[in-house]
Amino acid sequence: MPAPTNRTPSGAWSLRRPASESVLRTARRLAVNLRAGPAGPGVPSALRDLRRLLDVDAVGISDLSGSLQWSGRSKAEPDAVTSVADVLHTETRSGRPPLVAMPLLVQDELAGVLVIDGEVRMSAVREATAWVEDALEHGRLEHSAELAAQSELRALRAEISPHFMYNAMTVIGSLVRSDPERSHELMLDFAEFIRYGLARHRDYTTVSDEFHAIETYLALQRAVLGERLRVQIRVAPEVLAVAIPYLVLQPLVENAVRHGMEPRFTPGSEGVGTVQVRGEAEGNDLVISVEDDGVGMDPAHAEAILAGHGPADSVGLANVDRRLRSVYGAWYGLVVETAEGAGTRVVVRVPRFHPGVVPS
């Protein structure tokens, strides 16, 4: 059987395709190869795919600088350079086949120019342009999502309570003379806590590192709050090496102490409270819970916080919830169980193994 062709006997563009599977693979590769933009490292591969799909002599692409990358040999490269300049100036099409330059519009903004050199129908040119625009837009959205995730992580770092830091340093300073050894231990804990909380270029860490960070945080909080704060931490050995997003647990524990326990510790009160943190495996899932027996809250208020509509000092829970859903999907995130006067329990359930989630 002869191989299917993209041209009719007269040489015009045909709607026949090599195979539907091949076209789908090409579309997928375009999305991958153009995610970094019209000047990214995947552009040569994307141009080769387009040239073969259109069965033309050459396909080129330019970013806003006007610099062209080609696949194939263009017989009219000087004219193509002029056409690209025209498109960059007017943001409209220049020419018709066999040499046509098309503006690439991403979110209604000019992102580059696609040049096609060869005998091809204009409808095919428009379709190829739409493919490239979709791929570029997808890449831009992915980049925006990454920037948003980084911004949320910076927000979590910035949310480390200045009030807590001041109190911790005050307690450490008060022990310098009366208990220098204890002061030295707490200073090392404080330095370790700050180092971990402000670490850069970390997307994922291990359960072991996250639990170590919250143990350090709670040790400092106990130094500040004294025996009024009780702490229970239990983590199953089989989950210590599980990878999870960086800085997920500390905001939950800090929320339990600041908003659950501290309101109970009014001046002159003799109340005590407990924060419990547990990590264990349930089948293929990792389940971590942070529970306090503090003041609790109205469930509607908890729902508003997770939706990002809470007070300015409660962004931690919403950020953690969004990051978990972004990494693992909509089925994952935080579950908050609470009622006024009944304490609060926050549950994190994520897969123990997930593609791309690797400690850095």
Side-chain angles (χ1 to χ4, degrees), residues 21 73 147 155 219 227 349:
E21 293 85 355
R73 291 182 175 272
L147 291 178
E227 296 300 320
R349 179 185 291 271

mmCIF file with all atom_site columns, all heavy atoms in Angstrom, residues 21 73 147 155 219 227 349:
data_model
loop_
_atom_site.group_PDB
_atom_site.id
_atom_site.type_symbol
_atom_site.label_atom_id
_atom_site.label_alt_id
_atom_site.label_comp_id
_atom_site.label_asym_id
_atom_site.label_entity_id
_atom_site.label_seq_id
_atom_site.pdbx_PDB_ins_code
_atom_site.Cartn_x
_atom_site.Cartn_y
_atom_site.Cartn_z
_atom_site.occupancy
_atom_site.B_iso_or_equiv
_atom_site.pdbx_formal_charge
_atom_site.auth_seq_id
_atom_site.auth_comp_id
_atom_site.auth_asym_id
_atom_site.auth_atom_id
_atom_site.pdbx_PDB_model_num
ATOM 1  N N   . GLU A 1 21  ? -2.664 9.166  14.882 1.00 0.00 ? 21  GLU A N   1
ATOM 2  C CA  . GLU A 1 21  ? -1.742 9.037  16.018 1.00 0.00 ? 21  GLU A CA  1
ATOM 3  C C   . GLU A 1 21  ? -0.506 9.903  15.825 1.00 0.00 ? 21  GLU A C   1
ATOM 4  O O   . GLU A 1 21  ? 0.001  10.519 16.762 1.00 0.00 ? 21  GLU A O   1
ATOM 5  C CB  . GLU A 1 21  ? -1.328 7.581  16.216 1.00 0.00 ? 21  GLU A CB  1
ATOM 6  C CG  . GLU A 1 21  ? -2.453 6.660  16.649 1.00 0.00 ? 21  GLU A CG  1
ATOM 7  C CD  . GLU A 1 21  ? -3.245 6.137  15.457 1.00 0.00 ? 21  GLU A CD  1
ATOM 8  O OE1 . GLU A 1 21  ? -2.972 6.581  14.321 1.00 0.00 ? 21  GLU A OE1 1
ATOM 9  O OE2 . GLU A 1 21  ? -4.142 5.303  15.669 1.00 0.00 ? 21  GLU A OE2 1
ATOM 10 N N   . ARG A 1 73  ? 15.600 24.542 4.020  1.00 0.00 ? 73  ARG A N   1
ATOM 11 C CA  . ARG A 1 73  ? 16.306 25.589 3.265  1.00 0.00 ? 73  ARG A CA  1
ATOM 12 C C   . ARG A 1 73  ? 15.292 26.526 2.611  1.00 0.00 ? 73  ARG A C   1
ATOM 13 O O   . ARG A 1 73  ? 14.516 26.098 1.763  1.00 0.00 ? 73  ARG A O   1
ATOM 14 C CB  . ARG A 1 73  ? 17.207 24.974 2.200  1.00 0.00 ? 73  ARG A CB  1
ATOM 15 C CG  . ARG A 1 73  ? 18.410 24.232 2.770  1.00 0.00 ? 73  ARG A CG  1
ATOM 16 C CD  . ARG A 1 73  ? 19.284 23.696 1.641  1.00 0.00 ? 73  ARG A CD  1
ATOM 17 N NE  . ARG A 1 73  ? 20.496 23.097 2.159  1.00 0.00 ? 73  ARG A NE  1
ATOM 18 C CZ  . ARG A 1 73  ? 21.622 23.766 2.390  1.00 0.00 ? 73  ARG A CZ  1
ATOM 19 N NH1 . ARG A 1 73  ? 21.654 25.068 2.144  1.00 0.00 ? 73  ARG A NH1 1
ATOM 20 N NH2 . ARG A 1 73  ? 22.686 23.150 2.857  1.00 0.00 ? 73  ARG A NH2 1
ATOM 21 N N   . LEU A 1 147 ? 5.719  30.563 38.714 1.00 0.00 ? 147 LEU A N   1
ATOM 22 C CA  . LEU A 1 147 ? 6.006  31.810 39.414 1.00 0.00 ? 147 LEU A CA  1
ATOM 23 C C   . LEU A 1 147 ? 5.052  32.010 40.589 1.00 0.00 ? 147 LEU A C   1
ATOM 24 O O   . LEU A 1 147 ? 5.457  32.479 41.657 1.00 0.00 ? 147 LEU A O   1
ATOM 25 C CB  . LEU A 1 147 ? 5.894  32.995 38.448 1.00 0.00 ? 147 LEU A CB  1
ATOM 26 C CG  . LEU A 1 147 ? 6.966  33.085 37.366 1.00 0.00 ? 147 LEU A CG  1
ATOM 27 C CD1 . LEU A 1 147 ? 6.692  34.272 36.449 1.00 0.00 ? 147 LEU A CD1 1
ATOM 28 C CD2 . LEU A 1 147 ? 8.358  33.210 37.987 1.00 0.00 ? 147 LEU A CD2 1
ATOM 29 N N   . ALA A 1 155 ? 5.863  33.760 50.310 1.00 0.00 ? 155 ALA A N   1
ATOM 30 C CA  . ALA A 1 155 ? 4.906  34.273 51.292 1.00 0.00 ? 155 ALA A CA  1
ATOM 31 C C   . ALA A 1 155 ? 4.950  33.454 52.567 1.00 0.00 ? 155 ALA A C   1
ATOM 32 O O   . ALA A 1 155 ? 4.866  33.987 53.674 1.00 0.00 ? 155 ALA A O   1
ATOM 33 C CB  . ALA A 1 155 ? 3.496  34.273 50.706 1.00 0.00 ? 155 ALA A CB  1
ATOM 34 N N   . ALA A 1 219 ? 10.213 23.113 70.049 1.00 0.00 ? 219 ALA A N   1
ATOM 35 C CA  . ALA A 1 219 ? 11.146 23.249 71.172 1.00 0.00 ? 219 ALA A CA  1
ATOM 36 C C   . ALA A 1 219 ? 11.312 24.722 71.541 1.00 0.00 ? 219 ALA A C   1
ATOM 37 O O   . ALA A 1 219 ? 11.343 25.091 72.729 1.00 0.00 ? 219 ALA A O   1
ATOM 38 C CB  . ALA A 1 219 ? 12.494 22.631 70.812 1.00 0.00 ? 219 ALA A CB  1
ATOM 39 N N   . GLU A 1 227 ? 5.695  25.195 80.413 1.00 0.00 ? 227 GLU A N   1
ATOM 40 C CA  . GLU A 1 227 ? 5.013  23.922 80.558 1.00 0.00 ? 227 GLU A CA  1
ATOM 41 C C   . GLU A 1 227 ? 3.548  23.973 80.141 1.00 0.00 ? 227 GLU A C   1
ATOM 42 O O   . GLU A 1 227 ? 2.887  22.930 80.090 1.00 0.00 ? 227 GLU A O   1
ATOM 43 C CB  . GLU A 1 227 ? 5.113  23.444 82.014 1.00 0.00 ? 227 GLU A CB  1
ATOM 44 C CG  . GLU A 1 227 ? 6.543  23.148 82.464 1.00 0.00 ? 227 GLU A CG  1
ATOM 45 C CD  . GLU A 1 227 ? 7.182  22.072 81.613 1.00 0.00 ? 227 GLU A CD  1
ATOM 46 O OE1 . GLU A 1 227 ? 6.483  21.092 81.261 1.00 0.00 ? 227 GLU A OE1 1
ATOM 47 O OE2 . GLU A 1 227 ? 8.379  22.208 81.281 1.00 0.00 ? 227 GLU A OE2 1
ATOM 48 N N   . ARG A 1 349 ? -3.191 14.490 53.317 1.00 0.00 ? 349 ARG A N   1
ATOM 49 C CA  . ARG A 1 349 ? -3.120 13.154 52.704 1.00 0.00 ? 349 ARG A CA  1
ATOM 50 C C   . ARG A 1 349 ? -2.582 13.311 51.289 1.00 0.00 ? 349 ARG A C   1
ATOM 51 O O   . ARG A 1 349 ? -3.177 13.998 50.462 1.00 0.00 ? 349 ARG A O   1
ATOM 52 C CB  . ARG A 1 349 ? -4.497 12.494 52.669 1.00 0.00 ? 349 ARG A CB  1
ATOM 53 C CG  . ARG A 1 349 ? -4.501 11.090 52.009 1.00 0.00 ? 349 ARG A CG  1
ATOM 54 C CD  . ARG A 1 349 ? -5.899 10.534 51.898 1.00 0.00 ? 349 ARG A CD  1
ATOM 55 N NE  . ARG A 1 349 ? -6.436 10.213 53.203 1.00 0.00 ? 349 ARG A NE  1
ATOM 56 C CZ  . ARG A 1 349 ? -6.283 9.043  53.813 1.00 0.00 ? 349 ARG A CZ  1
ATOM 57 N NH1 . ARG A 1 349 ? -5.610 8.064  53.211 1.00 0.00 ? 349 ARG A NH1 1
ATOM 58 N NH2 . ARG A 1 349 ? -6.807 8.840  55.000 1.00 0.00 ? 349 ARG A NH2 1
#
